[in-house]
Amino acid sequence: MAAASAAVTLSIFGFMVVLGLPLMAQGQFLSLLIEPWRPAQGIYGIAPMIVGTIAIAGLSLMVAIPLSLGCAALISGLGRGRLPAFLHRLVRFMTGIPTVVYGFAGIFLLVPLVREWAGQGSGYCILSAGLLLAILIAPTMILFFTDAFAAVPRGYLSAADALGATPAQKLLFILMPCAWRGLVSGVVLATGRAVGDTLIALMVAGNAAAMPEALTDPARTLTAHIALVVAADFDSLEFRTLFACGMILYLCTTLMVILTRRIGAVSDPRRWQGA
């Protein structure tokens, strides 16, 4: 089964390479990465989609990482009373909510707020998509961070309490240094999900195939571009560009998986005790 799974994965990548081979044979693959998308002029560059993907995914990570780190710290013992248990249940509940539900909530709640704040545009922009995507990927990071903090020996925190350390000091000098492997793994996997998400960008980002210049500009991601472009001619260059997008996304996802495996799973507490 493991060999079959690997074979299917490689076959999918080979399928995309074969159908995108004319781009490489004609030396057009690199030009697609830097040219704009202008079908009327026969230019099918995917540079705006690459920039849109980076902008939306980057903004979501900038918002989600500190939010997830704070929630994980509260769940892992820095919170008091019933707050940690409530947050933990809430995060687990959020992981089961379908992405399309987040998208509808963003359309009716977040987009009007962004439109009023910006004072221009429709509200379907990079900012709306990035904030909504941050809410989507935050539960994944929180669970990874929580597991990483739970692997830190409790004796370390008890010693810090005995020395009069504040919650912030315990987080910065005890939890984070000891749990860095799990923290990085959570960020890497969340990055992969942010780059590969389709519905949030498709519903909230505006889907403008133009180079964005500000957070309030609409944008289109690679995944949304694949979902939106429908070419009648199988052999057209427009159709081939979809497989270039697929190869880029595939390579990005593969890189994320390799980085996660290289970093390793959450450190075993026995390693710290042995040290």
Side-chain angles (χ1 to χ4, degrees):
M1 293 304 297
S5 177
V8 170
T9 304
L10 292 176
S11 298
I12 293 173
F13 183 72
F15 171 76
M16 291 187 292
V17 171
V18 170
L19 290 182
L21 194 60
L23 297 176
M24 303 178 188
Q26 299 173 11
Q28 297 175 325
F29 184 79
L30 293 179
S31 63
L32 290 176
L33 303 181
I34 59 176
E35 291 181 348
W37 178 263
R38 296 173 182 171
Q41 302 176 14
I43 302 175
Y44 301 99
I46 58 175
M49 280 62 82
I50 295 176
V51 173
T53 300
I54 295 174
I56 293 175
L59 177 61
S60 67
L61 289 172
M62 291 176 60
V63 175
I65 289 176
L67 176 64
S68 302
L69 193 61
C71 289
L74 290 175
I75 294 172
S76 299
L78 299 186
R80 294 292 183 266
R82 299 181 180 180
L83 180 60
F86 171 76
L87 285 177
H88 201 195
R89 294 191 185 97
L90 179 62
V91 169
R92 290 186 177 276
F93 172 77
M94 291 176 65
T95 57
I97 299 177
T99 306
V100 67
V101 176
Y102 285 100
F104 274 114
I107 290 174
F108 293 106
L109 298 177
L110 181 60
V111 169
L113 292 176
V114 173
R115 181 169 58 242
E116 292 181 5
W117 173 81
Q120 60 181 357
S122 63
Y124 293 91
C125 59
I126 293 175
L127 181 60
S128 299
L131 293 177
L132 191 59
L133 190 58
I135 299 175
L136 177 67
I137 65 175
T140 301
M141 282 196 288
I142 292 173
L143 293 179
F144 264 89
F145 293 174
T146 301
D147 292 340
F149 290 157
V152 178
R154 296 296 94 182
Y156 289 6
L157 296 178
S158 299
D161 289 333
L163 293 173
T166 63
Q169 290 173 331
K170 288 191 290 184
L171 174 63
L172 293 176
F173 300 111
I174 303 296
L175 290 175
M176 292 181 62
C178 293
W180 69 270
R181 293 178 184 271
L183 300 182
V184 176
S185 297
V187 171
V188 170
L189 289 179
T191 302
R193 185 175 184 185
V195 171
D197 182 78
T198 303
L199 277 178
I200 296 298
L202 194 63
M203 299 175 70
V204 182
N207 297 312
M211 190 69 70
E213 299 179 356
L215 293 179
T216 54
D217 290 342
R220 180 184 294 184
T221 63
L222 290 170
T223 52
H225 183 68
I226 294 174
L228 287 171
V229 173
V230 178
D233 186 3
F234 181 82
D235 292 326
S236 66
L237 183 59
E238 182 180 7
F239 184 81
R240 301 293 182 182
T241 59
L242 300 183
F243 296 95
C245 296
M247 284 187 285
I248 294 173
L249 290 171
Y250 192 98
L251 293 175
C252 289
T253 303
T254 302
L255 179 61
M256 297 301 173
V257 173
I258 292 175
L259 286 176
T260 303
R261 292 188 177 275
R262 294 286 295 179
I263 294 169
V266 179
S267 301
D268 192 336
R270 290 176 294 182
R271 295 182 182 179
W272 300 104
Q273 294 172 0

